[in-house]
Amino acid sequence: MSTVFDVLAEPARRRILDLLRERPRPVGELTERLGFSQPGTSKHLRVLRDAGLVRVRKQAQRRVYELDPAPLAELDAWLAPYRQLWSDAHDLLGHHLDQMEELDDR
C-alpha cells in the first residue's frame, strides 16, 4: 500500500487535490481542467481514493469526488519540525537584518 508521501509525489495528483480543495467535482470536470484523458484521470483518482485522500459519491449518472483531508495529518506531523526549523531561521535572519540596519544608522 502506498503512503501519503508516495501518492503526493505525483504532480498530477497534487493538482487534483488542489482542484478538490476548492469544491467537490465530477470526473468529467476534473478531466477537462487537467487536460488528461478520462482513463488517466480515473487512474489518479483511484490512487487518491485508495490512499483515503478523496471520497466518491454517485450523483445520478456522475461520480463526484471530494477531498478527505484526514490522511494529510501524517504529512502535517512530519512537516511540523521543519516548520519550526524554518521559523527559527527566519527569526535569525530578521535579527541579523535588524542589527545591520542599526550599524547603518550609526
Side-chain angles (χ1 to χ4, degrees):
M1 182 172 169
S2 297
T3 68
V4 171
F5 298 101
D6 296 328
V7 171
L8 295 178
E10 169 58 51
R13 294 185 199 122
R14 293 193 307 268
R15 286 177 55 204
I16 290 170
L17 292 180
D18 287 343
L19 290 168
L20 295 178
R21 187 171 36 95
E22 296 169 0
R23 64 180 169 78
R25 297 176 189 265
V27 176
E29 184 180 331
L30 289 168
T31 298
E32 181 180 313
R33 294 286 304 267
L34 296 166
F36 296 162
S37 66
Q38 193 279 328
T41 302
S42 292
K43 178 187 105 179
H44 289 299
L45 286 167
R46 183 174 46 255
V47 172
L48 290 166
R49 190 180 65 233
D50 290 348
L53 290 164
V54 299
R55 295 183 291 257
V56 62
R57 69 179 191 280
K58 285 190 176 184
Q59 191 176 56
Q61 298 298 325
R62 302 184 315 171
R63 290 181 177 266
V64 177
Y65 284 82
E66 61 186 346
L67 181 65
D68 183 350
L72 294 173
E74 174 188 354
L75 180 61
D76 185 55
W78 184 80
L79 286 172
Y82 293 94
R83 274 192 218 96
Q84 185 60 49
L85 181 68
W86 179 254
S87 178
D88 292 347
H90 186 264
D91 290 345
L92 284 172
L93 176 61
H95 180 68
H96 177 73
L97 292 174
D98 289 344
Q99 286 180 332
M100 292 189 68
E101 187 176 297
E102 287 174 12
L103 289 175
D104 287 344
D105 288 345
R106 289 183 188 171

